Amino acid sequence: MADTLAETTHWGNLKTEVAGYVGIDTLQEQIRKKVLKRGFEFNIMVVGRSGLGKSTLINTLFKANVSLRSCSKSEEKVEIPKTTHVKSVSHVIEEKGVRLRLTVTDTPGFGDQINNDNCWLPVLDYINEQYENYLSEEQSVTRKKHIPDTRIHCCLYFISPTGHSLSPLDIEFMRRLDRCVNIVPVIAKADTLTIEERVGFKQRIKQDLANNGIRTYPMKELEEDPEETVTNNKIRELLPFAVVGSNQQYPNNGRTVYGRKTQWGLVEVENRSHCEFSDLRDMLIRTHMQDLVEVTRSVHYENFRQDRLASRRGRTQFNGQVIDMDSMNESSL
Amino acid sequence: MSSQANLKNSSLGEIGFATLPEQIHRKSVKKGFDFTMMVVGESGLGKSTLINSLFLTDLYKERKILNVEEKLDRTVDVEKKTMEIEEKGVKLKLTIVDTPGFGDAVNCEENWMVIENYITDQFNQFFKDESGLNRKNIVDNRVHCCLYFIPPWGHGLRPLDIEFMKRLHQKVNIIPVIAKADTLNTNEIRRLKDKILRELEENEVHVYQLPECDSDEDDEFKQQDRELKQSIPFAVIGSTQVVEVNGRRVRGRIYPWGIVEVENPVHSDFLKLRTFLVSTHMQDLKDVTRDVHYENYRAQYLTKISQQSARERGKLRRDSKPCEESAVETDWLLQQKEEEIRRMQDMLNQMQQKLKAAGRDSSENGTDSDSRKDTESVDI
């Protein structure tokens, strides 16, 4: 055997050299095949007052009519509901053999009333309900091979582009939900702001978030290696993303681009000097989608689970049998 | 027109009072004009910028943008700012009434109340001044118009907008404007305007209506008037920055994709709003405030006072319904009826005594039943 290299791995052991080609690298391919067969699940929630372009942005992100509004009846019949409703719609989209089951959860009625006290409660309840469902599936005696994951992996929160600072409603919502879901704040309809105004606005928003101890995704405490920290720092610099959405295309310099046409110019959605839609899309879909799912699973869900089980201490009725929760927990380790 | 020309005309059989408009003009120019405008809308809709753009001032030069903690426990305030501007010898004392805090809190339930109270207080003050002994220097603080800012992101009017306008449309001239209109393109603006007009109609909200122009006005004026009417609610943009476009220096906003010019009629209705507010309809706004809103207030206030004093007279037996004239009438009627009853009671007593005297002679039952029958017929 060759000498061992003085290199530690994250398991804490020194790495052992191998003499020839073993074939461990095919693990990648094996996992890939299995995962591809199963497909991916991604659940995204959009929260914000009516008219901020939530549906349009989701449609633009996934280049398909996946929002709730596109799937329901015509726009004219849409009325503002009197309380916050939470509705989901699922689609399966495919690209180069990779299938994604995308669930978009919309929250019509949020923040639209004169009195918006507690308008975040239905949202909070919905998120916890998904955790609850998953937990009871996990704990049932005969479990499914693959538990369907309806937990919200990412919550896009839409901020009105006033240019001043966050509104009291924004703070109230994020304060209560940053501990149970990944919140990604975005500045909606950002073509209202000039670049200068945008910079000032973001600064004040970041200040407001810091002053109120609100953790948005990506969270610093969860970073495991310096490479991750570097990428995430870049993202945190940009937050909140100033986005513009559009499902209409216009010709521009020989190409057709998604954009908004006005009397004084064409706002291009995917032009990085116009808005930060591309940055949001890259983070959400191209680089951090799996991480969003991971964090939901390993941090937010775990927190929920701990709280739940700690409060259920003692004997309980479960599926018709009397089970001691403490002993059950220990046996599952 | 010179006085020489007048003398010339008078020799031809004219009296010469055609100069009255000029006399009025000279006097009012000397006195100066005043105008009070209120701006209402949630923070961040560009109200301050628009006021600065409209009147080419920097009334809001040193403003501090609040962070969110400061906004959390904020209530609605009413702030007055006054400035005097002069153009071609004509002086205007402009008062802007600002309403910071409106629509910002999580619970905006009684935001409209502070504003309504302010407007009513100004009416009350004017009423008292008018009824006072020395009426020489009454300061008119009544609100002549209220610019209501509607956010451009949204699908029309929100519950808060409708609530506010319903509460205040009978007290002040409401002029709705669509704020930050450079968020929207032409189609979207048209759709939003139509939606807003529909919703105003559905909710029976009466915003300020431009009066019909007289038939003897020239066509250009009529055309302008038509265009103004079609553009309500005005979709406005404001800016205090001067930018350079095609060699001209104009007020505008620079975006990476183009430059928006505030005073370009293709880009927004800013010019139309300024024309309407300052050049063509300022006097009408004041007139409507004086002749309609103030009179309504005055009528309601006076009847309220007379009702109170009627109650204090202590003659009301029945429940008073809020029906002003008939309350006074009912008083009178009751008084009459009471007199009648008293008279009839007296008559009855006399008759009874007579009958009793007579009844001692004849049988008791017959006469008693007779007297009872008589009592019943007298009852009203």
Side-chain angles (χ1 to χ4, degrees), chain A residues 28-41 97-99 290:
Chain A
Q28 254 190 75
E29 191 56 35
Q30 295 174 37
I31 295 176
R32 225 184 111 248
K33 278 209 192 121
K34 278 232 154 146
V35 163
L36 272 183
K37 246 198 193 164
R38 200 197 305 150
F40 294 87
E41 279 170 320
V98 179
R99 278 173 308 129
Q290 188 52 30

Side-chain angles (χ1 to χ4, degrees), chain B residues 221-283:
Chain B
F221 188 81
K222 280 196 193 157
Q223 174 67 11
Q224 194 187 57
D225 194 67
R226 240 198 319 267
E227 278 174 15
L228 273 181
K229 287 211 175 86
Q230 278 170 357
S231 303
I232 289 189
F234 297 112
V236 294
I237 305 173
S239 172
T240 44
Q241 278 182 318
V242 179
V243 300
E244 195 157 316
V245 178
N246 297 335
R248 298 171 293 135
R249 289 178 66 77
V250 288
R251 285 189 169 223
R253 293 168 60 73
I254 302 184
Y255 291 110
W257 47 86
I259 303 182
V260 179
E261 297 167 51
V262 167
E263 290 178 13
N264 186 333
V266 176
H267 290 185
S268 81
D269 295 333
F270 175 81
L271 269 188
K272 290 205 182 88
L273 175 66
R274 185 197 259 163
T275 314
F276 156 79
L277 204 53
V278 183
S279 316
T280 52
H281 288 79
M282 192 179 258
Q283 190 53 42

Side-chain angles (χ1 to χ4, degrees), chain A residues 122-134:
Chain A
V123 179
L124 193 56
D125 289 342
Y126 180 84
I127 293 176
N128 284 334
E129 206 183 300
Q130 308 316 305
Y131 288 151
E132 186 71 56
N133 289 345
Y134 196 88

Side-chain angles (χ1 to χ4, degrees), chain A residues 49-52 69 75-76 80 112-118 120 160-169 171-172 175 189-198 204 208 211-212 250 260-267 273-275, chain B residues 42-46 63 65-69 71-72 103-110 152-155 157-160 163 180-186 188 191 195 198 237 241 253-261 266-268:
Chain A
R49 295 185 136 119
S50 119
L52 286 180
R69 178 163 279 177
E75 201 181 309
E76 294 307 324
I80 299 180
D112 290 328
Q113 311 313 319
I114 299 180
N115 182 355
N116 289 311
D117 276 334
N118 297 326
W120 48 80
S160 298
T162 56
H164 287 196
S165 57
L166 286 179
S167 77
L169 180 62
I171 288 292
E172 290 296 329
R175 202 188 260 170
K189 298 203 167 175
D191 52 346
T192 320
L193 303 165
T194 61
I195 303 292
E196 218 181 298
E197 291 167 348
R198 187 198 291 178
R204 283 185 286 266
D208 282 339
N211 290 348
N212 287 277
Y250 296 95
R260 286 174 56 71
K261 195 155 173 62
T262 60
Q263 304 282 53
W264 44 88
L266 175 67
V267 187
S273 58
H274 286 191
C275 73
Chain B
E42 38 179 63
S43 72
L45 288 181
R63 41 183 317 229
I65 294 181
L66 300 179
N67 62 25
V68 75
E69 291 83 52
K71 283 196 219 165
L72 273 173
D104 284 342
V106 178
N107 181 357
C108 299
E109 246 162 14
E110 313 228 292
W153 41 81
H155 300 291
L157 294 176
R158 300 163 301 160
L160 180 66
E163 176 77 21
K180 294 198 168 178
D182 54 351
T183 322
L184 307 166
N185 61 30
T186 327
E188 291 166 341
R191 263 211 310 265
K195 187 111 198 288
R198 249 201 330 266
I237 305 173
Q241 278 182 318
R253 293 168 60 73
I254 302 184
Y255 291 110
W257 47 86
I259 303 182
V260 179
E261 297 167 51
V266 176
H267 290 185
S268 81

Side-chain angles (χ1 to χ4, degrees), chain A residues 54-118:
Chain A
K54 306 187 289 291
S55 308
T56 312
L57 188 72
I58 286 289
N59 287 351
T60 320
L61 270 173
F62 294 99
K63 294 211 167 86
N65 284 348
V66 289
S67 73
L68 188 72
R69 178 163 279 177
S70 313
C71 302
S72 57
K73 298 155 206 161
S74 70
E75 201 181 309
E76 294 307 324
K77 290 188 194 158
V78 170
E79 263 185 20
I80 299 180
K82 297 281 187 241
T83 54
T84 313
H85 292 184
V86 184
K87 299 203 178 113
S88 301
V89 65
S90 294
H91 301 266
V92 176
I93 50 185
E94 185 174 328
E95 197 176 58
K96 292 192 190 150
V98 179
R99 278 173 308 129
L100 175 73
R101 186 161 185 277
L102 174 72
T103 307
V104 178
T105 307
D106 203 347
T107 53
F110 177 85
D112 290 328
Q113 311 313 319
I114 299 180
N115 182 355
N116 289 311
D117 276 334
N118 297 326

Side-chain angles (χ1 to χ4, degrees), chain B residues 303-367:
Chain B
T303 37
K304 204 168 67 172
I305 292 182
S306 63
Q307 261 190 309
Q308 280 176 351
S309 49
R311 249 178 254 133
E312 276 158 28
R313 263 184 280 126
K315 298 270 187 182
L316 270 171
R317 281 204 196 156
R318 285 187 230 149
D319 287 339
S320 59
K321 289 201 199 118
C323 203
E324 296 86 60
E325 310 94 68
S326 54
V328 186
E329 249 185 280
T330 331
D331 263 356
W332 186 82
L333 275 170
L334 279 167
Q335 275 182 305
Q336 298 288 80
K337 292 292 179 190
E338 276 161 27
E339 303 271 30
E340 250 186 80
I341 296 173
R342 232 175 285 129
R343 263 183 275 131
M344 294 203 177
Q345 289 274 11
D346 288 342
M347 267 172 54
L348 188 62
N349 287 337
Q350 284 172 10
M351 278 172 66
Q352 274 184 332
Q353 278 167 5
K354 276 193 211 145
L355 284 165
K356 265 189 193 151
R360 268 184 226 121
D361 299 333
S362 48
S363 61
E364 280 185 329
N365 284 342
T367 44

